[in-house]
Amino acid sequence: MSKEEAAVESDNDLQDVDKANLSLFSFSDADLEQREITPVEIGSVVVQSGQVRVSDPLAYPDFPALKRRVPPGRYPARIYFALGRVAAASMRLMDGIPVSWELAGVEDDVDGQAQYAGLCPVDAGMAGFMDVDAFAQMKRRVAKLRAERSDKSVNYYNDVIATEVAVNDEEWTLHQPMSDSDLNVAIFHSGWGDGVYPVLWGLSAEGEAMVLFVDFTVMEDADGRKEPE
């Protein structure tokens, strides 16, 4: 089996996922350029608790963490541009090419039937990777802003995020909710905007998590040269 074939070998649960897009992790920079896919490194996400959340950070305040835990550390996040949009995003836990993939279940997923098991919900046009403690800090920042204002109104995007994404072509930011903490949130536009998008773990031969991946369904066949049919 070639590396490319191994990289897309998946369980039947992934039948609705464009498995060809998972081949992104077997491509060289030259391959990506040829396919008109532009990767952008946005910095490392700090994981403190081992619990990771993948969702719209400006919505779904009670969205659960992923069921699979990861070791605390700093993990590089990358977004992939194609067809004028953020087509996909990843957070790397380990170098190498995944040999299998699984949908990223959430903590309250019962027998695989949770509404958003294996999905990233978006309702404010943005998605993100974050430690659950970092998201808790965002909530505390909202509370702090409300306490400082007579009308108690807070729009986190307009009041906080907008100036940060403005320096990155309005596309992404590595947001630090509290200045006295290293915890941060990788925030990026979500392909077509609001909706639900597949979230997957890429696994090693030993079943260890190598990469966390969100596909915004912008591309087909991991090719940024043609619009999806």
Side-chain angles (χ1 to χ4, degrees), residues 39-79:
V40 176
E41 307 290 345
I42 65 175
S44 293
V45 177
V46 177
V47 176
Q48 173 179 279
S49 69
Q51 295 178 277
V52 177
R53 193 175 187 267
V54 184
S55 69
D56 187 331
L58 305 176
Y60 299 96
D62 300 316
F63 194 74
L66 300 183
K67 187 180 296 184
R68 181 183 280 269
R69 303 293 182 93
V70 302
R74 294 174 178 266
Y75 300 112
R78 169 186 271 196
I79 53 179

Side-chain angles (χ1 to χ4, degrees), residues 2 13 25 33 53 55 61-62 69 74 82 95 101 109-110 113 131 161 183 188 222 226:
S2 70
D13 291 343
F25 299 96
E33 183 177 6
R53 193 175 187 267
S55 69
D62 300 316
R69 303 293 182 93
R74 294 174 178 266
D95 291 336
W101 294 83
D109 179 7
V110 178
Q113 300 302 309
D131 187 293
I161 301 297
L183 289 174
F188 34 84
K226 57 183 181 180

